[in-house]
Amino acid sequence: MTMSILLALLAAFFASITAILAKIGIEQVDSNLATAVRTVVVLIMAFLMVVITGQTDSIMTVSTHALIFLVLSGITTGLSWLFFFRALQIGDVSKVVPIDKSSVVLTILLSFIVLKEPATAFVVTGGIIISIGTFVLIGKRDKNKAKRKRIKTTKSYIFLAILSAIFAALTNILAKIGIEDVDSNVATFIRTVVIILFAWGIVLFQGTFKQLGAISKKSFTFLILSGAATGLSWLCYFGALALGKVSVVNPIDKFSVVLTMILSFIILKEKPTKSTIMGAALITVGTALLIF
């Protein structure tokens, strides 16, 4: 097992924990404010890793070209987060996460077009199977909950999750370009600085920062823990991205969707259905093909 694959698997593990902790933490908390709080934790972790690895001096030597793409990837990450956590707040984890993680398909396509990575049979087949698995996960509607209000809510969080996936795909491509010749920990730190400015800017604009004092200790605890899990996931992911190909690293990382679904059934007591089980199985098969 190569180091890039190992790091991608660790990124997937921490990402799955992130979604569960965040779901618990954002109950009764504005989703944008929750994102801003979590980002503070991620920034602290990213900076500590820069210090520990002795890369603080290299922050000032990052080229303008790399800096531009890292900043852009930070902005797209911020947009992806805002849509994702809003969708997570009003929808089921077992449905929101799979839609968001479908960004893997868009990422693979963009890696072929923009980064000129080879379109192997395994990569193409794996991407198709993951797409099918994702549609299986989100395609089935509960006929017993066909009330008009419920339908509008469902469409709303699905649309938000799709937007999250689009911006997440753009993030991967922009980050891969920006991370060339830049230490992965430094790149993560720079991107997180952009994201924290983006997230808190929205919170200040909306005035939701006033709700900070109303966040319960339980929510704060889980938001901090989810931020820590995100930080670990990012550090592993961008380390893998610096070493490997986007079309391979990203799909492995997105395997977190299956882990998240399992945890949502166990911890959040969300009920598994035939469609979620079948979709998870397809995504697992597709991910396995992409690894090979």
Side-chain angles (χ1 to χ4, degrees):
M1 182 181 294
T2 65
M3 181 57 70
S4 63
I5 291 178
L6 177 60
L7 288 172
L9 288 171
L10 286 172
F13 172 72
F14 288 119
S16 65
I17 296 175
T18 294
I20 300 300
L21 293 172
K23 176 64 177 180
I24 299 173
I26 62 178
E27 291 180 356
Q28 308 301 319
V29 181
D30 177 79
S31 60
N32 293 334
L33 180 59
T35 299
V37 171
R38 293 174 65 257
T39 309
V40 173
V41 181
V42 178
L43 181 65
I44 293 172
M45 291 189 63
F47 183 69
L48 286 175
M49 284 304 299
V50 171
V51 173
I52 292 171
T53 55
Q55 295 292 329
T56 50
D57 292 338
S58 63
I59 294 176
M60 303 306 295
T61 61
V62 176
S63 67
T64 303
H65 175 269
L67 188 61
I68 290 173
F69 280 97
L70 287 173
V71 169
L72 288 174
S73 71
I75 293 173
T76 53
T77 298
L79 290 170
S80 178
W81 268 24
L82 292 175
F83 290 127
F84 174 70
F85 287 105
R86 177 54 183 163
L88 199 64
Q89 190 173 45
I90 63 177
D92 295 333
V93 172
S94 56
K95 283 190 175 290
V96 172
V97 172
I99 301 172
D100 172 68
K101 299 307 181 185
S102 67
S103 63
V104 64
V105 180
L106 296 175
T107 300
I108 291 173
L109 290 174
L110 290 175
S111 71
F112 296 156
I113 299 170
V114 180
L115 303 178
K116 308 300 181 183
E117 293 184 357
T120 65
F122 280 123
V123 171
V124 173
T125 304
I128 293 173
I129 293 176
I130 289 175
S131 299
I132 295 173
T134 301
F135 280 114
V136 170
L137 281 168
I138 66 177
K140 188 175 180 179
R141 295 184 180 179
D142 190 346
K143 294 181 180 179
N144 294 323
K145 295 181 180 181
K147 293 181 180 180
R148 186 172 301 174
K149 184 176 180 180
R150 175 62 180 172
I151 291 175
K152 288 183 179 180
T153 302
T154 300
K155 288 182 178 180
S156 176
Y157 81 73
I158 287 178
F159 178 67
L160 290 169
I162 290 173
L163 287 176
S164 172
I166 292 172
F167 284 111
L170 291 173
T171 292
N172 292 309
I173 301 301
L174 293 168
K176 178 62 177 179
I177 297 173
I179 209 171
E180 293 178 359
D181 301 321
V182 179
D183 177 77
S184 62
N185 294 318
V186 172
T188 301
F189 173 69
I190 292 173
R191 294 177 64 259
T192 309
V193 169
V194 176
I195 295 167
I196 198 170
L197 292 173
F198 185 91
W200 280 98
I202 290 178
V203 167
L204 291 172
F205 177 76
Q206 293 181 327
T208 50
F209 67 93
K210 298 177 183 178
Q211 300 174 20
L212 270 173
I215 299 177
S216 67
K217 290 183 179 179
K218 174 187 175 183
S219 292
F220 247 128
T221 299
F222 279 98
L223 285 174
I224 291 172
L225 289 174
S226 68
T230 297
L232 290 171
S233 179
W234 277 14
L235 291 168
C236 291
Y237 178 72
F238 288 102
L241 201 63
L243 298 172
K245 296 178 180 178
V246 174
S247 56
V248 174
V249 171
N250 183 254
I252 298 174
D253 171 63
K254 299 311 178 186
F255 181 66
S256 61
V257 62
V258 178
L259 299 177
T260 301
M261 288 175 61
I262 294 173
L263 291 176
S264 72
F265 299 149
I266 298 172
I267 299 174
L268 302 179
K269 307 302 180 183
E270 293 184 358
K271 295 181 179 180
T273 63
K274 290 182 179 179
S275 60
T276 56
I277 293 173
M278 185 181 298
L282 287 169
I283 290 172
T284 301
V285 172
T287 302
L289 286 173
L290 287 166
I291 293 175
F292 298 111

